Amino acid sequence: MTTNQPTTRLDVYDSDTDVEDPSVDQGYVVDDASPLPHYSDYPFWYSSSSGPQHFRLKPSRTSESASLSNDPLLNFFDACGDSESRLDEYFNGVISGRVHAANIHSPESLSDEFGACDIPQSVSTDLQSYLATLKSKVIDNSTRVSSSKMIGHMTTALPYFHRPLARLLVALNQNVVKLETSSTLTFLERETAAQLHSVFYNRPSEFYKSVIHAAASGSPDASVVGLFCSGGTVANITALWCARNTALGPRDGFLGVEREGLVRALRVYGYEGAVVIASKLVHYSVRKAVDLLGIGEAGLVLLETDSEFRIRIDLLEKKIEECAKQKILVIAVIGIVGTTETGSIDDLAAIAHLTSRNNIHFHVDAAWGGPLIFSPLYTQLLAAASLSTTLTIDGHKQLYTPMGVGLLLFRYPQSAHRIQKTASYIIRAGSSDLGRFSLEGSRPANSLYLHASLNILGRDGVARLVERGIELVARLARWVRTLDSFEA
């Protein structure tokens, strides 16, 4: 690139790592006397005989880049502290505003408000107008689940540190499908999964160090103790996917169910069908799972519960024996820690005994009630969770993270190999890429939210939050019992 003025060639470095960026060869010129483009203020380091120097740079305007630099579209991609500060101030005012206790509009009227289907043709330069519309149509009448006075099932006020963390994640825009786009956050995610795994499965620290080290070394045997996902639904689906592939894996020339399909797999193994067993209070995500895995809702066996809303162990034992006689494969039995309707907890020890005796995958859905394990008052209810093959837990329920933080834990890390997929262009065999094992592809580094909650609140803080929630529910229940307008 040529310019009409003397050009100082700059060796551009990342100021944090001092690693030269070979992709930068833009013909930049140093010109402190001339004003910079209004949208830019790029700090770079360059080497000189007197050592590193810090300059503001502007692109040369004597080439095609000049016309590109004046494109208002690029304004939205350049960091501008003043503009972001004003936006922060605006949204902080909105967030701290009044709380709506009820929905103002009916679904019918809302559908009229949100009927626009045409995308504007030109780039907007009026951000304020958009924000004004957003405030009147969306924010003013949205449900204020973030209020400290919100009575909700699982969405509630969050620790304040998650707001700036959310902004940080957007700024970093990491993609944890592969190491190249999430170097440090890939290992932070592995560390976070290990921290929560240790709470439920209580393996020694050397075990977790070896798993993380194997991933770092590129060992083909590298695996994971847990997989982050968008929530309990994907975690439950992944668990049953793993259970199916383990039960119908390769043998005697058969390449496995993942390669040859469910029909042939059942035939090779001598089965007449396959089922998943749970109580009738199981989460509806399991219905999705059996549909996706090819056994259909007819293959979901839902058993009655006892007076405490727990799966009846006598019926479970009978059903397992029945399936064996009928040559029906039991892919998994699901134990629930905190059912959606009643909050009940299944007898995990009894389920573990039956599944172990019959060599069946034991999955625990602890998406809702899992954090009880942090409380000394309630941890005994989850003592047998360590006997599960896989376990689902959600950060955005009782671990107080923003929405979209689900986690599936594996008792045995190598179990994840049953569902791994690779591709030469993104996820290579033997790589540290978490996308080898996850059902989802590209995804954000939401594990940071859970890492923050666990390491800032600590075990004691999580325990106190859980215990406080239970006490508040007990108070509410006592008050409701005094009201004639409610049935006992």
Side-chain angles (χ1 to χ4, degrees):
M1 181 183 300
T2 60
T3 67
N4 296 327
Q5 54 185 311
T7 299
T8 299
R9 173 55 191 263
L10 301 179
D11 296 322
V12 180
Y13 291 83
D14 180 289
S15 59
D16 292 324
T17 62
D18 275 349
V19 176
E20 185 173 4
D21 185 350
S23 66
V24 179
D25 188 6
Q26 304 294 330
Y28 286 109
V29 295
V30 178
D31 182 9
D32 281 340
S34 301
L36 291 169
H38 71 282
Y39 60 87
S40 64
D41 187 12
Y42 302 113
F44 287 106
W45 292 93
Y46 83 103
S47 299
S48 72
S49 59
S50 60
Q53 301 293 323
H54 191 228
F55 279 86
R56 293 189 307 166
L57 307 180
K58 71 173 184 179
S60 170
R61 304 189 189 192
T62 59
S63 67
E64 182 181 355
S65 64
S67 62
L68 292 177
S69 68
N70 294 320
D71 188 344
L73 177 65
L74 300 183
N75 292 340
F76 295 115
F77 294 86
D78 290 318
C80 182
D82 290 341
S83 296
E84 288 195 47
S85 295
R86 286 195 295 269
L87 279 177
D88 285 343
E89 183 178 354
Y90 172 77
F91 283 119
N92 284 336
V94 171
I95 292 170
S96 60
R98 63 193 181 93
V99 174
H100 295 279
N103 291 322
I104 305 289
H105 299 291
S106 67
E108 292 76 14
S109 63
L110 286 175
S111 64
D112 294 334
E113 286 287 330
F114 293 91
C117 58
D118 294 326
I119 301 174
Q121 186 64 43
S122 59
V123 178
S124 174
T125 59
D126 187 5
L127 182 57
Q128 290 182 343
S129 176
Y130 174 78
L131 292 177
T133 302
L134 181 67
K135 184 177 186 301
S136 62
K137 288 181 61 175
V138 178
I139 299 174
D140 283 350
N141 295 307
S142 63
T143 306
R144 292 295 202 270
V145 295
S146 61
S147 168
S148 60
K149 298 180 180 180
M150 171 68 182
I151 300 177
H153 170 57
M154 63 180 183
T155 48
T156 182
L158 297 175
Y160 75 88
F161 53 76
H162 283 306
R163 292 183 189 174
L165 284 178
R167 180 176 176 180
L168 175 64
L169 284 182
V170 172
L172 293 174
N173 198 28
Q174 304 285 283
N175 182 359
V176 288
V177 70
K178 61 178 181 176
L179 191 64
E180 288 90 338
T181 54
S182 59
S183 56
T184 55
L185 280 160
T186 289
F187 287 97
L188 181 135
E189 182 161 309
R190 288 179 177 274
E191 178 180 276
T192 309
Q195 289 180 335
L196 207 50
H197 190 282
S198 69
V199 174
F200 286 94
Y201 293 101
N202 197 29
R203 302 293 294 271
S205 59
E206 291 75 15
F207 165 79
Y208 299 105
K209 291 179 181 178
S210 68
V211 172
I212 295 176
H213 177 73
S217 65
S219 168
D221 295 326
S223 192
V224 291
V225 296
L227 290 174
F228 277 86
C229 54
S230 59
T233 291
V234 174
N236 285 339
I237 291 172
T238 303
L240 296 181
W241 178 25
C242 181
R244 187 202 65 172
N245 287 10
T246 300
L248 299 171
R251 77 171 189 183
D252 301 331
F254 173 64
L255 300 179
V257 63
E258 68 272 24
R259 296 283 296 278
E260 300 195 36
L262 184 61
V263 173
R264 175 157 170 72
L266 293 174
R267 187 182 305 123
V268 167
Y269 275 82
Y271 291 118
E272 298 295 327
V275 297
V276 171
I277 304 176
S279 87
K280 65 179 184 179
L281 296 178
V282 73
H283 191 260
Y284 75 98
S285 61
V286 177
R287 296 182 185 273
K288 300 179 183 180
V290 294
D291 184 0
L292 290 168
L293 295 177
I295 66 175
E297 288 196 37
L300 178 57
V301 177
L302 300 179
L303 301 181
E304 292 294 326
T305 58
D306 61 19
S307 59
E308 299 296 323
F309 303 104
R310 303 172 301 179
I311 189 171
R312 283 181 52 181
I313 301 301
D314 60 326
L315 296 181
L316 175 59
E317 183 175 19
K318 181 179 179 181
K319 177 54 67 174
I320 291 174
E321 293 174 353
E322 197 176 282
C323 288
K325 292 177 182 178
Q326 297 176 356
K327 296 184 178 181
I328 302 295
L329 168 66
V330 179
I331 291 177
V333 174
I334 300 174
I336 309 170
V337 177
T339 57
T340 305
E341 294 95 330
T342 65
S344 53
I345 299 175
D346 286 332
D347 187 340
L348 302 182
I351 299 174
H353 174 72
L354 289 176
T355 53
S356 176
R357 189 175 70 187
N358 292 278
N359 194 30
I360 297 171
H361 186 111
F362 175 29
H363 175 60
V364 168
D365 183 358
W368 177 231
L372 285 171
I373 200 168
F374 285 92
S375 169
L377 300 177
Y378 303 104
T379 188
Q380 74 277 3
L381 297 174
L382 278 75
S386 62
L387 303 176
S388 64
T389 317
T390 50
L391 183 144
T392 289
I393 186 167
D394 275 347
H396 54 246
K397 292 187 172 73
Q398 292 197 82
L399 290 174
Y400 293 88
T401 73
M403 296 298 297
V405 184
L407 179 61
L408 175 67
L409 298 175
F410 298 94
R411 182 181 181 184
Y412 307 107
Q414 294 304 314
S415 298
H417 281 268
R418 295 294 188 181
I419 56 174
Q420 72 169 329
K421 296 288 182 287
T422 60
S424 60
Y425 63 91
I426 182 172
I427 305 169
R428 293 169 295 282
S431 71
S432 299
D433 300 335
L434 294 170
R436 288 170 58 196
F437 309 107
S438 60
L439 176 61
E440 295 166 297
S442 297
R443 57 187 178 85
N446 286 349
S447 58
L448 177 59
Y449 295 129
L450 184 55
H451 189 271
S453 281
L454 295 178
N455 288 276
I456 295 175
L457 301 177
R459 288 175 177 256
D460 290 344
V462 174
R464 283 155 55 189
L465 287 171
V466 169
E467 292 166 4
R468 180 177 182 274
I470 293 173
E471 174 57 29
L472 289 175
V473 169
R475 291 184 190 178
L476 177 62
R478 289 194 294 269
W479 176 69
V480 167
R481 291 191 186 100
T482 67
L483 304 178
D484 296 333
S485 53
F486 287 88
E487 295 181 1

